[in-house]
Amino acid sequence: MEKTIDITIFGATGFTGKFILTEVLRTAPSSLRLAVAGRSKARLEALVASLPTTLTAKIQPSIVVADVHDEESMRVMCAASRTLIAAAGPFRFLGEAAVAACVSESCHYVDITGEPEFFESMAIKYHAKAKESQVAIVNVCGFDSIPCDLGVLYTKQQLQTTYNALPSSIEMFFKLHVAGTAGFAAHYATFESAVHGFGSSALLRQLRRTANRPQVPRVGPRLAVNPKPHWVHKVAAYTIPFFFADPSVVRLSQQMTLQDKELEQYQSPPVQFAAYICIPSFSTLALTIAASTVFGLLAKCEFGRKLLLKHPRFFTLGLFSHQGPSDQQLAETSFSETFFAKGYSAELQAKHKSEELLMIEPDVSIVTSVSGPEPGYVATPKLVVQACYTLLHQKDLVPNGVLTPAVAFARTDLIKRLQEQGIVFTTVHQPTK
């Protein structure tokens, strides 16, 4: 079937899907062929009719009706599309139908999932099939987890290109910045995905046991990971372990290149990695620990998940609701991720065998940062749309298969594209001995 659509946004009527649609209309050239897709034709028509003429003057989106419970409709959608942006979650229940249809109909794919059980299972089930179909299926292309996954890649590259160093370890510290008095808020759909993501932790552990992925080799002394809340002077904040998808994605990026020899050229050497969330005050830390403890306990059982989903505002202290964030909250919120990296200089490598480096402290370091606007509904549309554009324009530089962002986009200009959209990758501190 002829590819008559360049980008199809599946789930365009959802809360985040509408932001993604607006971002495409804002940034795409008039020649782009765009479609919005979902199961309700009436809702899609209402969405297109509601768009301001300032956005539709260049591009008028076409409408495609597709339902994850109707395999034929999904295949017809993907058969006509060069790339698909999947914005409909929870992905554990809805995502596989889109991945399967894309692999079957040779349609490249990006999504905004943050559910490890979903994207790790897709890699196991569809990687070989996607390679055979010559398509790229790239998961976690929103705030989960392009900033972190590409941030680790960028940091390793800075160590290597600036000081010819062998990377050893990277620690990432995430900060959410709220400039005004309105506070931070997020939409129910994001909370729903988080509930099901945490609820499938047992399935994830079982999945990883059966996946038989290689262990990431250690370079240098073992990185000390502190699982307890503690104050960190170098970021001037209390920290707790980062409990969202980013550590899983970074590990998977490195495992993929170790397991699939064709992917080795897309990643620099593996590195030890730890991630933390920064919390500015002790009172906020106490509230975070209390809320996350209750959330973690309830998410383990079906009754608890139902309770969480019925009362999202109560169990998240007002952070999540069906209304989502206001325009003021979106404007006043931003994020930063700071990466503290250590490695071995070329001189030290020349003096010691690789096994000897396990006992020797690294002698060079670097600090980098990735920062941007509100992560969920301002940065995420920018991230996934630029990832999709990269697949459209630089597919020859992207390998085939089910991939993470760092593996998929290592040789492309995606970081440059993101810089132009306000997602800033920068070196904060140059290497020192």
Side-chain angles (χ1 to χ4, degrees), residues 231 238 279-291 317:
W231 179 264
Y238 293 98
I279 299 174
S281 68
F282 184 80
S283 59
T284 305
L285 175 66
L287 286 173
T288 302
I289 292 173
L317 306 177

Side-chain angles (χ1 to χ4, degrees), residues 207-277:
L207 180 72
R208 287 172 175 170
R209 285 194 295 268
T210 59
N212 196 30
R213 293 195 179 279
Q215 190 170 18
V216 177
R218 176 164 61 91
V219 178
R222 189 174 302 279
L223 176 64
V225 179
N226 193 334
K228 298 179 180 179
H230 63 289
W231 179 264
V232 178
H233 290 284
K234 61 187 177 184
V235 292
Y238 293 98
T239 68
I240 59 174
F242 195 96
F243 46 76
F244 297 109
D246 288 358
S248 297
V249 176
V250 171
R251 180 175 57 251
L252 186 58
S253 290
Q254 300 188 118
Q255 289 175 323
M256 282 181 169
T257 56
L258 293 168
Q259 193 168 37
D260 188 337
K261 296 301 181 183
E262 294 180 18
L263 298 177
E264 282 184 329
Q265 60 183 307
Y266 295 92
Q267 279 278 293
S268 51
V271 65
Q272 299 181 78
F273 179 73
Y276 301 91
I277 298 173

Side-chain angles (χ1 to χ4, degrees), residues 23 31-32 63 105 146 166 173 179 205 212 220 266 269 285 291 328 350 370 381 391 393 404 407 424:
E23 182 67 15
S31 58
L32 186 100
I63 291 173
E105 303 301 329
I146 282 182
L166 174 67
F173 294 86
R205 288 192 293 271
N212 196 30
Y266 295 92
L285 175 66
Q328 180 183 356
V370 180
L391 283 181
H393 301 301
T404 58
V407 176
V424 181

Side-chain angles (χ1 to χ4, degrees), residues 69-150:
H69 302 295
D70 182 350
E71 181 181 344
E72 181 62 24
S73 71
M74 297 293 291
R75 294 184 63 167
V76 169
M77 172 184 69
C78 293
S81 307
R82 293 177 63 195
T83 59
L84 183 79
I85 299 178
F91 284 84
R92 179 186 174 192
F93 302 120
L94 304 177
E96 183 171 355
V99 171
C102 283
V103 170
S104 173
E105 303 301 329
S106 300
C107 174
H108 304 304
Y109 167 104
V110 291
D111 68 28
I112 57 170
T113 185
E115 303 166 37
E117 188 265 338
F118 168 72
F119 62 75
E120 293 197 29
S121 66
M122 292 301 97
I124 294 170
K125 191 170 183 178
Y126 290 100
H127 180 64
K129 296 177 182 178
K131 289 177 67 175
E132 184 179 346
S133 297
Q134 298 187 329
V135 296
I137 306 294
V138 193
N139 301 121
V140 287
C141 287
F143 176 70
D144 295 310
S145 291
I146 282 182
C148 182
D149 202 27
L150 287 188

Side-chain angles (χ1 to χ4, degrees), residues 22-36:
T22 299
E23 182 67 15
V24 173
L25 292 172
R26 186 184 69 83
T27 58
S30 57
S31 58
L32 186 100
R33 300 168 299 175
L34 175 66
V36 291

Side-chain angles (χ1 to χ4, degrees), residues 201-433:
S201 58
L203 290 174
L204 179 60
R205 288 192 293 271
Q206 181 181 353
L207 180 72
R208 287 172 175 170
R209 285 194 295 268
T210 59
N212 196 30
R213 293 195 179 279
Q215 190 170 18
V216 177
R218 176 164 61 91
V219 178
R222 189 174 302 279
L223 176 64
V225 179
N226 193 334
K228 298 179 180 179
H230 63 289
W231 179 264
V232 178
H233 290 284
K234 61 187 177 184
V235 292
Y238 293 98
T239 68
I240 59 174
F242 195 96
F243 46 76
F244 297 109
D246 288 358
S248 297
V249 176
V250 171
R251 180 175 57 251
L252 186 58
S253 290
Q254 300 188 118
Q255 289 175 323
M256 282 181 169
T257 56
L258 293 168
Q259 193 168 37
D260 188 337
K261 296 301 181 183
E262 294 180 18
L263 298 177
E264 282 184 329
Q265 60 183 307
Y266 295 92
Q267 279 278 293
S268 51
V271 65
Q272 299 181 78
F273 179 73
Y276 301 91
I277 298 173
C278 294
I279 299 174
S281 68
F282 184 80
S283 59
T284 305
L285 175 66
L287 286 173
T288 302
I289 292 173
S292 59
T293 300
V294 172
F295 179 90
L297 290 172
L298 290 176
K300 290 181 179 179
C301 64
E302 184 177 354
F303 171 78
R305 290 191 290 273
K306 289 181 178 179
L307 198 62
L308 288 169
L309 294 175
K310 187 175 181 180
H311 304 285
R313 186 185 292 274
F314 174 79
F315 284 108
T316 63
L317 306 177
L319 292 180
F320 290 89
S321 69
H322 288 278
Q323 290 73 39
S326 66
D327 290 342
Q328 180 183 356
Q329 288 171 321
L330 293 177
E332 293 177 348
T333 304
S334 60
F335 78 91
S336 64
E337 294 181 345
T338 305
F339 301 82
F340 293 83
K342 295 179 180 180
Y344 295 97
S345 65
E347 291 84 355
L348 198 61
Q349 293 177 62
K351 295 177 183 178
H352 299 277
K353 297 178 181 179
S354 57
E355 59 268 21
E356 293 175 336
L357 295 179
L358 293 174
M359 306 299 294
I360 301 172
E361 286 296 323
D363 64 334
V364 294
S365 63
I366 194 171
V367 182
T368 66
S369 174
V370 180
S371 59
E374 189 280 332
Y377 314 103
V378 180
T380 286
K382 294 176 182 291
L383 293 161
V384 73
V385 168
Q386 293 302 321
C388 188
Y389 290 164
T390 304
L391 283 181
L392 280 174
H393 301 301
Q394 292 188 300
K395 179 56 187 68
D396 57 320
L397 300 178
V398 178
N400 297 316
V402 179
L403 311 166
T404 58
V407 176
F409 302 117
R411 299 198 302 176
T412 71
D413 66 355
L414 178 56
I415 288 179
K416 178 183 176 183
R417 288 175 173 272
L418 294 174
Q419 298 265 32
E420 294 170 350
Q421 300 300 321
I423 311 294
V424 181
F425 291 69
T426 186
T427 298
V428 179
H429 178 66
Q430 291 292 339
T432 58
K433 285 193 175 182

